[in-house]
Amino acid sequence: MSEPAARAEKVDLAVELLAHLEREELSLPEAMDRIETVTTNPALTREILDTAEKRGVIERENARLRVLRGGTYVEYDSQVVAREGDFECKRCGAGITTGHFVRLQAGELGPFGSSCVRKVTGRDSE
């Protein structure tokens, strides 16, 4: 996979994750917590936020984001898959034996622990 393709795929994956959040509004640090499951590169993070805004997924005002794609939540029955193995949670770094993976059109994101997958998708608050 070439670097530009990998970059575009990361942008698409993070933008789609933001579009599927189960919260209408979140702080910039909360959004960064989700985006960091895809990348920790500051330039790519800015590109993700800019792209999400251009695509009408979010609106930014000061240090808050408003998600504009209501009703496109992650469907846990079909889009979250649990696999057994030896994993490290993409969000918190904990060692886990059951990894939860979120399947989005742009790709698969994970693994996450059971509580982190709920936080990443916005189902549970911080």
Side-chain angles (χ1 to χ4, degrees):
M1 178 181 311
S2 68
E3 182 57 36
R7 184 177 185 89
E9 288 169 5
K10 286 180 179 183
V11 169
D12 288 344
L13 187 58
V15 169
E16 189 175 354
L17 178 62
L18 290 173
H20 281 77
L21 290 179
E22 291 192 31
R23 296 177 58 202
E24 291 181 15
E25 189 174 293
L26 65 162
S27 68
L28 187 56
E30 290 170 323
M32 296 302 294
D33 183 54
R34 275 88 175 164
I35 293 170
E36 285 176 349
T37 64
V38 177
T39 184
T40 56
N41 178 317
L44 188 53
T45 298
R46 280 191 295 281
E47 184 178 338
I48 289 165
L49 291 170
D50 290 345
T51 301
E53 193 169 30
K54 287 176 190 169
R55 292 182 186 173
V57 171
I58 62 166
E59 277 183 351
R60 289 189 276 187
E61 186 174 329
N62 300 318
R64 305 251 355 130
L65 301 180
R66 195 163 67 98
V67 180
L68 303 176
R69 296 267 180 101
T72 59
Y73 308 135
V74 170
E75 303 220 5
Y76 276 72
D77 294 339
S78 61
Q79 288 182 280
V80 177
V81 178
R83 294 188 194 118
E84 298 301 317
D86 187 23
F87 302 108
E88 183 177 303
C89 178
K90 272 261 206 195
R91 181 178 175 273
C92 73
I96 51 177
T97 56
T98 301
H100 295 81
F101 297 82
V102 180
R103 289 183 177 166
L104 301 169
Q105 282 186 331
E108 189 173 84
L109 188 58
F112 301 106
S114 58
S115 61
C116 284
V117 73
R118 297 177 65 81
K119 289 177 182 171
V120 167
T121 59
R123 183 150 296 185
D124 285 348
S125 297
E126 299 303 311

